[in-house]
Amino acid sequence: MTTTKTTTTTTTTMDQARDEPQVNHPLHGVSSPSSTSSSVLSSSSLSATMPSRMARKRARNSRCRRKNGFLASAECISISCLVVAFISAEYVCSQQHPYQQHQNQREQQQPQLRRATDRSPLERWLTVTDAETDFAIEKRHNSDLPERDVRVNIFARPTTMPVNDATPMPTEVPSTRPTGRPTPAVTPSMTQAPTIQPSRMPTSAPVPGETSTPTSLPSDGPTARPSQGPTQSPSQGPTADSATDTPSQPPTVSETDAPSVGPTPAGQTLAPSSSSMPTNPPPESLLSYLTRTLTDDGSLQTTGTPQALALEQLSMTNPSLDPANPIEELEIVQRYALNTLFYATNGNDWFVNGQWTTSAPICNNWDNIICGDATQPNLVTIIALNENDMMGSIPSEIRGLRGLTFIDFAGNSLTGSIPPQLGQLAQLDALDLQSNFLVGMIPTELGTATALRSLSLFSNQLTGPIPPEIGTSLPNLESLLLNDNLLDGQLPTTLSSLTQLTSLILEANRFSGISTLPSSIEILFVNENNFFGDFPMQIGDLTNLRLFNAAENSFSGALPDIFGGLTNLAEFKMSANFLSGDIPTSLLNINSLVNLDFSLNTLGSNFPSIWNGVPSLTNLNLRDCRMIGNVPSDISALENLRVLTLSGNNLFDPLPAELNLLTSLRELYVAETTLSGVTPYLENLRILDIGTTFLQLDAQYFSSPNIQALDVAAIGITGATLPPPDGVASESLRLLDLTGNRLGNAFPVQFATNFPNLETLILNDAISSGAAPETLNLFQNLVTLSAVNCGLFGNLPTTIGAVTTLTSLTLSSNILSGNIPSEIGQLLDLEEFNLDRNFFGGAIPSELGLLTKLKDVNLSGNSLDAAVPQQVQDLPNFGDFVL
């Protein structure tokens, strides 16, 4: 029996914290895609809800961490408010982008994801472990191009909700929903932000101008009403605390109408639904007032719509409200608008929904709402419902909340288009709708929200160009984040009018032309678009530019020498373009430059030899640039260099001895070159990749106190080079790749003693023959073991069951025989299990059914019974079983 097999990447873990900052790992091997993500992304995890491209984008959630990061200002709401002097001595090694501060807490809780893809063993190990090694500069990210981009990925693309096991679930959440969610509470004070995502929200609401609810709000005419998400009509909503208010009697609900999620919690009443509408209609005056001011398309008179449910609930909880009383107009409009938002976005299933739609005072009780200061204590100014399981469309009635200064609906499952009525919120300072499923074009009406300073719409499915009105009508805009959408066209020339703009993030769209931009920009990311042709000259006019990323486009030709005025530039990334010629001298004379990436271009020139002008450089990536020659000795001038990547070039001669002067160097990648001679021993090095070269490994690396990863594939290592079989050689080594070397005819079981903390061991084609060792149980920390085509013979020892840390076991193309031991069932973390092309016989052990994390199994090319045990077929995560 044979089924289709897909490739799955193994996940490993590293428990020991490091004492160095984080760094990118641009490895050799052009067949390996770049990655910021660091765990496995199931092939079907997002296919049901979004295009595969967006699934790939949302799977990127790894982040650059700063060892001594900023504290976001309490007065800051917009993202660019946080862009302050962030260039420091350890910038590249630890820098966190300023506009990421407001969501730092959520990302620390969020599980990491990564695509299943073929990687070299070192790439796979780095993908997993660099989240826990703080010597790294920044993480990598996934892309469809066969390259590893050194980049700072700044965007949260959640696909799952983070869970805080230390915080109990609010009582409003049905018992069938996941537990352990944080339960934020909004305080009525304007000096304290709601406890949900405090890093994402201001601790005090901006004081709006004199605002009062008009007698009649502008009518928008008939509009398509938003859906209610997956539920047809809500059946249960939270109610006010009986100790603080006395709501009117709720409608009687029969047993058949009761919600299926369980008994109603104490202190709650059932919200109205299409099956439990009161028999008495609401007062005509209230219906007429709301029809005239907010909803004039007939949905108020249509049973079961969010608008009708909102009106019915308002009539029940606050029957005394009189629209004829000007003092009560604000209360009516705000309650109705919030009720409509609740029912339109499946509020009954929100993770946090305490007191919503009840008679309790909005500003003192309703979760995640903040109101104005002492002059306007009843005016709603902030709604923070990020990562709250909102489903459905944003209703146009939100325009009734005229005092809003901050809307945060990020990280939900909102659908439909962005309501143009948001442009009527004249006080709106920050709008965050990122990481949803919004479609359609960016409404031009947003240009009428002239107070807007921060607009975050990234990680949606928006299409079309950027409206010119964004540039002409938003003079205060500081941060425009539109990455990871389907936007296209030329950038509008009106963007040059945004003189306050500091952060412009357009990554991963389909833009094709760059126009004149304001000189105020500090952060410009246009990578992963369709830009082509000569490098835009106007970039040289951005005198405040600090971070620039134009990787993965189609820029061609030589870079112009226009960078002399960019005295604040810290990061310059042009990987995966079609550039040629030399690196401009003006770029190599910027004292503030710390991260320079020209990987995957066709520079085709000699290795640059002028490095005195960039003393602060910490990350230099020239991988696969077709550079010719030797590595110059004056590279030692880069005294702060921490990561040097030269893999895939036509470099020859030995590495210069002056590398010993680079005492800050932590990672060295020179794989797939023609370098020769002995590799200089660098005591502080953490990662060394010299695979597929003519270099000789200094044996001191096997006993280095700091080395964590050695990729020495196919460099002619013999058994004589290995450390002696007794005694500890290095406690720090985590990964060892000896693929294609000549270790002799015995499995190196001494590595269990030499390297007690070894997690990944790759021995493919490195052993000529030998019996499968009985002492595999000595590898107590092993996560990945691969010994393909090693001539191993005999039975697979039962001691394999003692290596309970294993997540990947690959022993393909050997001479192993006998039965597969049932002790395999003890490897409860095993995800990948490959014994194909051996001589195993007998039945497939039913104990495989105990391995609930198993995703990839290949037992083909053996003499096993064809029957697959039912226990194995019932595995919840079982994807492919190849016999």
Side-chain angles (χ1 to χ4, degrees):
M1 179 178 65
T2 303
T3 59
T4 304
K5 186 177 187 301
T6 59
T7 304
T8 304
T9 302
T10 304
T11 307
T12 64
T13 60
M14 182 183 293
D15 296 325
Q16 179 176 347
R18 277 54 168 200
D19 58 354
E20 299 289 341
Q22 294 179 336
V23 71
N24 288 306
H25 308 288
L27 300 178
H28 66 279
V30 294
S31 64
S32 301
S34 59
S35 171
T36 28
S37 188
S38 57
S39 57
V40 173
L41 177 62
S42 170
S43 60
S44 61
S45 59
L46 293 176
S47 59
T49 56
M50 61 190 300
S52 59
R53 178 182 178 276
M54 294 304 298
R56 171 176 67 82
K57 299 303 180 185
R58 290 175 182 269
R60 300 181 192 163
N61 62 342
S62 298
R63 295 293 177 269
C64 174
R65 300 295 183 217
R66 181 177 175 121
K67 193 173 184 179
N68 298 306
F70 312 109
L71 294 177
S73 170
E75 290 76 27
C76 287
I77 293 180
S78 70
I79 306 300
S80 54
C81 216
L82 303 176
V83 180
V84 293
F86 55 90
I87 308 302
S88 64
E90 59 176 15
Y91 165 75
V92 172
C93 306
S94 55
Q95 175 63 30
Q96 183 181 50
H97 285 272
Y99 46 83
Q100 188 63 17
Q101 299 286 340
H102 74 302
Q103 56 186 5
N104 192 31
Q105 177 181 356
R106 178 176 64 187
E107 295 187 4
Q108 290 174 352
Q109 298 174 351
Q110 185 171 353
Q112 295 177 325
L113 303 174
R114 75 180 156 101
R115 282 189 312 173
T117 182
D118 292 327
R119 297 182 176 92
S120 72
L122 179 56
E123 289 175 310
R124 294 171 65 174
W125 179 82
L126 290 169
T127 301
V128 177
T129 60
D130 65 355
E132 300 179 27
T133 57
D134 40 51
F135 60 82
I137 292 177
E138 53 185 334
K139 297 196 180 251
R140 303 156 312 282
H141 72 273
N142 285 326
S143 74
D144 288 334
L145 294 180
E147 64 99 3
R148 279 200 175 273
D149 179 22
V150 184
R151 68 187 291 279
V152 179
N153 190 352
I154 58 175
F155 306 108
R157 302 169 176 86
T159 57
T160 58
M161 294 293 181
V163 178
N164 182 357
D165 294 331
T167 308
M169 182 67 69
T171 57
E172 290 85 353
V173 180
S175 58
T176 57
R177 297 198 59 78
T179 60
R181 295 285 304 185
T183 311
V186 172
T187 61
S189 171
M190 286 302 299
T191 63
Q192 183 176 352
T195 57
I196 181 170
Q197 305 297 341
S199 60
R200 292 179 54 83
M201 290 185 50
T203 56
S204 61
V207 179
E210 185 70 15
T211 306
S212 59
T213 304
T215 303
S216 178
L217 298 177
S219 172
D220 299 297
T223 56
R225 305 313 315 168
S227 66
Q228 297 177 245
T231 25
Q232 292 301 315
S233 62
S235 60
Q236 183 175 342
T239 64
D241 191 332
S242 59
T244 59
D245 51 62
T246 308
S248 58
Q249 182 67 25
T252 302
V253 180
S254 67
E255 183 176 312
T256 58
D257 292 330
S260 60
V261 296
T264 303
Q268 287 193 343
T269 60
L270 295 177
S273 67
S274 57
S275 60
S276 59
M277 299 282 285
T279 55
N280 296 325
E284 182 62 25
S285 58
L286 185 59
L287 175 63
S288 300
Y289 174 76
L290 293 175
T291 301
R292 176 169 50 87
T293 57
L294 282 179
T295 308
D296 60 355
D297 62 352
S299 57
L300 275 169
Q301 293 85 3
T302 304
T303 301
T305 63
Q307 292 72 24
L309 295 172
L311 176 58
E312 291 297 332
Q313 183 72 358
L314 177 61
S315 299
M316 289 190 299
T317 58
N318 301 83
S320 62
L321 289 177
D322 183 5
N325 184 349
I327 298 177
E328 296 182 347
E329 287 185 52
L330 176 63
E331 181 79 0
I332 293 173
V333 170
Q334 290 192 150
R335 284 185 176 274
Y336 171 69
L338 291 172
N339 283 359
T340 303
L341 175 64
F342 180 88
Y343 292 120
T345 58
N346 201 31
N348 289 298
D349 287 334
W350 290 356
F351 284 106
V352 177
N353 59 8
Q355 303 298 328
W356 275 69
T357 75
T358 70
S359 62
I362 296 174
C363 297
N364 292 330
N365 292 275
W366 290 29
D367 278 349
N368 300 338
I369 287 180
I370 290 180
C371 295
D373 59 11
T375 63
Q376 294 177 315
N378 297 319
L379 185 67
V380 174
T381 58
I382 294 175
I383 303 179
L385 296 173
N386 53 300
E387 291 191 347
N388 204 36
D389 208 18
M390 301 174 74
M391 297 182 183
S393 300
I394 304 172
S396 63
E397 283 77 10
I398 197 171
R399 67 191 174 101
L401 304 172
R402 287 306 183 91
L404 280 178
T405 61
F406 185 36
I407 297 175
D408 187 356
F409 294 161
N412 286 289
S413 298
L414 296 173
T415 56
S417 59
I418 299 173
Q421 292 82 1
L422 289 172
Q424 298 179 21
L425 300 176
Q427 305 295 330
L428 192 61
D429 183 274
L431 175 61
D432 192 349
L433 303 179
Q434 57 107 343
S435 300
N436 281 284
F437 299 92
L438 300 172
V439 298
M441 302 178 69
I442 300 174
T444 59
E445 290 82 356
L446 286 182
T448 59
T450 55
L452 204 60
R453 290 192 299 139
S454 176
L455 180 58
S456 299
L457 305 178
F458 63 88
S459 291
N460 282 286
Q461 300 173 33
L462 302 174
T463 56
I466 298 176
E469 290 79 1
I470 297 294
T472 57
S473 304
L474 301 179
N476 301 310
L477 194 64
E478 299 173 2
S479 178
L480 180 59
L481 311 182
L482 302 177
N483 53 291
D484 291 283
N485 280 287
L486 304 173
L487 301 170
D488 56 24
Q490 301 273 330
L491 302 187
T493 57
T494 57
L495 292 180
S496 61
S497 301
L498 300 176
T499 57
Q500 303 299 314
L501 190 66
T502 59
S503 300
L504 179 59
I505 312 299
L506 306 176
E507 172 189 3
N509 280 286
R510 300 172 180 176
F511 295 116
S512 57
I514 295 180
S515 61
T516 303
L517 299 172
S519 60
S520 58
I521 288 182
E522 298 180 10
I523 303 170
L524 177 60
F525 281 11
V526 294
N527 50 305
E528 297 182 62
N529 277 282
N530 296 331
F531 297 114
F532 62 92
D534 294 337
F535 186 84
M537 297 291 292
Q538 54 266 43
I539 300 300
D541 299 327
L542 305 181
T543 54
N544 291 299
L545 192 62
R546 299 187 180 192
L547 306 177
F548 177 74
N549 190 344
E552 299 182 44
N553 283 287
S554 298
F555 290 115
S556 58
L559 279 180
D561 203 357
I562 58 172
F563 304 101
L566 307 186
T567 56
N568 298 314
L569 189 65
E571 178 178 282
F572 189 84
K573 294 184 175 182
M574 288 296 299
S575 65
N577 279 279
F578 298 94
L579 300 175
S580 59
D582 295 331
I583 300 175
T585 303
S586 59
L587 190 60
L588 296 180
N589 284 318
I590 300 177
N591 291 332
S592 59
L593 192 63
V594 293
N595 193 346
L596 182 62
D597 185 359
F598 277 97
S599 60
L600 290 160
N601 279 283
T602 55
L603 299 182
S605 60
N606 293 330
F607 195 94
S609 59
I610 303 174
W611 297 105
N612 294 328
V614 282
S616 59
L617 196 66
T618 61
N619 187 2
L620 176 61
N621 189 352
L622 299 177
R623 170 195 161 210
D624 287 304
C625 286
R626 300 185 183 180
M627 307 191 84
I628 305 171
N630 54 18
V631 180
S633 59
D634 67 353
I635 199 171
S636 60
L638 302 176
E639 57 186 18
N640 292 305
L641 194 64
R642 302 180 70 88
V643 179
L644 177 60
T645 304
L646 306 176
S647 300
N649 287 291
N650 190 20
L651 302 177
F652 48 81
D653 293 338
L655 288 168
E658 286 79 4
L659 282 179
N660 286 300
L661 300 177
L662 299 179
T663 57
S664 298
L665 194 64
R666 296 295 183 267
E667 304 189 15
L668 177 61
Y669 304 90
V670 293
E672 298 180 3
T673 64
T674 55
L675 291 169
S676 59
V678 178
T679 307
Y681 176 64
L682 307 176
E683 183 178 0
N684 294 323
L685 209 61
R686 304 299 194 261
I687 296 175
L688 176 62
D689 182 6
I690 59 174
T692 320
T693 66
F694 297 101
L695 289 168
Q696 301 174 36
L697 179 69
D698 189 321
Q700 294 182 81
Y701 280 109
F702 282 123
S703 58
S704 169
N706 297 309
I707 197 70
Q708 295 183 7
L710 279 176
D711 188 336
V712 290
I715 65 169
I717 291 179
T718 64
T721 313
L722 300 177
D726 54 340
V728 174
S730 174
E731 292 186 352
S732 62
L733 191 63
R734 299 291 190 273
L735 177 142
L736 180 59
D737 187 351
L738 292 166
T739 297
N741 287 288
R742 301 186 298 273
L743 304 185
N745 56 4
F747 190 96
V749 292
Q750 70 269 24
F751 287 172
T753 303
N754 296 152
F755 314 117
N757 294 308
L758 193 65
E759 297 175 352
T760 299
L761 178 59
I762 310 298
L763 299 171
N764 303 335
D765 293 296
I767 302 172
S768 57
S769 66
E774 293 288 342
T775 55
L776 285 175
N777 57 300
L778 297 178
F779 291 91
Q780 288 300 302
N781 294 300
L782 204 59
V783 176
T784 298
L785 174 60
S786 181
V788 177
N789 196 28
C790 287
L792 298 177
F793 58 83
N795 296 333
L796 182 61
T798 59
T799 54
I800 191 67
V803 192
T804 56
T805 54
L806 275 176
T807 64
S808 175
L809 177 61
T810 300
L811 301 175
S812 306
S813 299
N814 285 288
I815 319 173
L816 297 171
S817 58
N819 294 327
I820 299 175
S822 60
E823 284 78 6
I824 287 293
Q826 299 174 22
L827 307 180
L828 299 181
D829 290 326
L830 197 65
E831 299 177 3
E832 184 177 13
F833 184 44
N834 297 315
L835 298 180
D836 53 294
R837 290 165 291 175
N838 279 281
F839 296 90
F840 289 106
I844 297 172
S846 61
E847 286 78 5
L848 281 179
L850 301 174
L851 309 183
T852 58
K853 297 181 181 179
L854 202 59
K855 297 184 179 73
D856 188 9
V857 173
N858 190 346
L859 303 179
S860 62
N862 288 284
S863 300
L864 297 167
D865 294 346
V868 179
Q870 188 61 45
Q871 299 94 315
V872 177
Q873 297 184 39
D874 293 340
L875 284 172
N877 296 322
F878 196 76
D880 301 309
F881 199 156
V882 180
L883 292 180

